Amino acid sequence: MNAVEGLSTARRIVVKIGSILLADESTGDIRSVWLDALCADLAALRKQGADVVVVSSGAIAVGRHRLGLARATLRLEEKQAAAAAGQIRLAHAWEEALAHFETTVAQVLLTFADTEERRRHLNARSTIETLLRLGAIPVINENDTVATEEIRFGDNDRLAARVAQMISADLLVLLSDIDGLYSADPRRDEKARFFADVADITPEIEAMAGKAAPGYSSGGMITKLEAAKIAQASGCAMIIADGKP
Ligand code: GLU
C-alpha cells in the first residue's frame, strides 16, 4: 500500500505527535489552537470509520518549564521529574481538546518491557483493544518517570511503531517538523533531496538520517527510520509528515 493513499482507506491508524508541535519551546505551554485543529482531523478520521490511537510526546517539554529546568540537556532524573510534572498537564490538554468532539480520552503509559515481554505485551494490547471497542481514543506515552536509561525507548517514534505492531494498525503517521525523508537535513543543506516514497529501508537510506537537535525532542530521522523498519516488518505503512500546517 502506498502510505499516502492509505490515509483514506486505513482501518486502524496510530498518530504520533512530536513535542515540537505540541509545546511552545520557550514557555512549555501547550499549543491549544494547534491541538484543537489536530483533534478535528482525528475526529474526521474516526467518522470515516477508522480506529485512532494517539502517541503523544510533550511531557518532558511541558514539565521542564513547570519545574524551572531551563538547561538544554537534562540528566535522566530531571527528565523523569519533568515527565511526571508534564504528563498530568498533557493528559488534561488532550481531554479538553477531544471533549469538543464528544470523545473520551484514555491515557496509557507504557514501558519498553510492556512492548517486549509477551505477557505484558498481550495485556497492553487487550487494554488498548478494549478502549477502542468502547469508543475512546487511547493517548499513549512512554512511562518516562519509571523508565531508566537502559530500559527506555527515550523516543516516541519507536514506541509508536511498537504500538502500531501491537494492535495490527495498517498505518502509522509520525507528525513532526519535517515533511518526510531527505538525503540530508534540508534546513542545513539546500541540495538535500526529498524522497516521496520509500519501499524499503536500505543501508543507503539509513545513512541519510540525522540526529535530533539536543535538548528538546528526542527523535530525529534515525529513530523515524527505526520506526519504519518495525512498521514494515509488521505490514504497516508509515508516513512522516510536517504537523504544523
Ligand atoms: N516521552 C517523551 C515525552 O513525553 C518524548 C519522547 C520523544 O521526544 O519522542 O516528553
Side-chain angles (χ1 to χ4, degrees):
M1 172 177 62
N2 172 293
V4 175
E5 284 162 17
L7 197 52
S8 52
T9 54
R11 306 297 303 165
R12 191 164 266 195
I13 305 175
V14 176
V15 184
K16 181 259 174 178
I17 325 287
S19 305
I20 209 143
L21 296 170
L22 255 180
D24 183 287
E25 196 167 355
S26 53
T27 61
D29 291 338
I30 306 252
R31 295 185 215 272
S32 47
V33 174
W34 181 87
L35 183 57
D36 285 347
L38 175 84
C39 288
D41 288 349
L42 298 181
L45 284 173
R46 274 164 46 106
K47 248 202 178 131
Q48 287 173 22
D51 288 336
V52 175
V53 172
V54 170
V55 174
S56 173
S57 302
I60 296 172
V62 169
R64 60 188 293 148
H65 287 275
R66 307 203 138 204
L67 295 175
L69 295 166
R71 262 178 298 114
T73 309
L74 300 184
R75 293 195 301 273
L76 178 64
E77 64 272 23
E78 290 172 328
K79 285 187 202 160
Q80 292 178 310
Q87 188 60 44
I88 195 162
R89 172 74 196 106
L90 197 60
H92 187 64
W94 277 104
E95 179 164 57
E96 271 181 343
L98 281 165
H100 300 147
F101 303 93
E102 276 112 49
T103 302
T104 302
V105 178
Q107 181 186 269
V108 181
L109 296 179
L110 295 176
T111 60
F112 185 74
D114 293 324
T115 65
E116 305 302 302
E117 278 174 29
R118 183 171 162 76
R119 247 176 56 120
R120 295 170 70 157
H121 177 107
L122 294 177
N123 207 9
R125 181 175 76 181
S126 129
T127 305
I128 297 169
E129 294 280 359
T130 305
L131 287 168
L132 289 171
R133 203 167 53 245
L134 295 172
I137 291 198
V139 174
I140 299 175
N141 197 357
E142 184 164 12
N143 195 350
D144 294 308
T145 299
V146 298
T148 57
E149 210 72 87
E150 314 76 61
I151 55 152
R152 90 196 258 275
F153 282 105
D155 67 89
N156 276 355
D157 296 326
R158 285 175 302 157
L159 172 67
R162 281 282 182 232
V163 167
Q165 178 183 51
M166 180 185 272
I167 61 167
S168 307
D170 29 29
L171 182 65
L172 168 63
V173 182
L174 302 182
L175 292 182
S176 74
D177 61 346
I178 187 147
D179 58 351
L181 178 69
Y182 288 84
S183 57
D185 186 342
R187 288 163 290 206
R188 289 189 205 121
D189 182 351
E190 58 185 29
K191 290 202 209 87
R193 256 184 327 128
F194 177 69
F195 291 83
D197 206 1
V198 175
D200 200 9
I201 314 294
T202 58
E204 291 73 35
I205 296 279
E206 275 185 271
M208 293 170 191
K211 282 208 176 74
Y216 200 61
S217 43
S218 328
M221 202 48 77
I222 290 182
T223 56
K224 289 182 179 44
L225 289 180
E226 280 171 16
K229 285 200 270 183
I230 297 169
Q232 189 177 35
S234 41
C236 176
M238 188 181 106
I239 297 175
I240 298 171
D242 182 357
K244 279 187 262 80

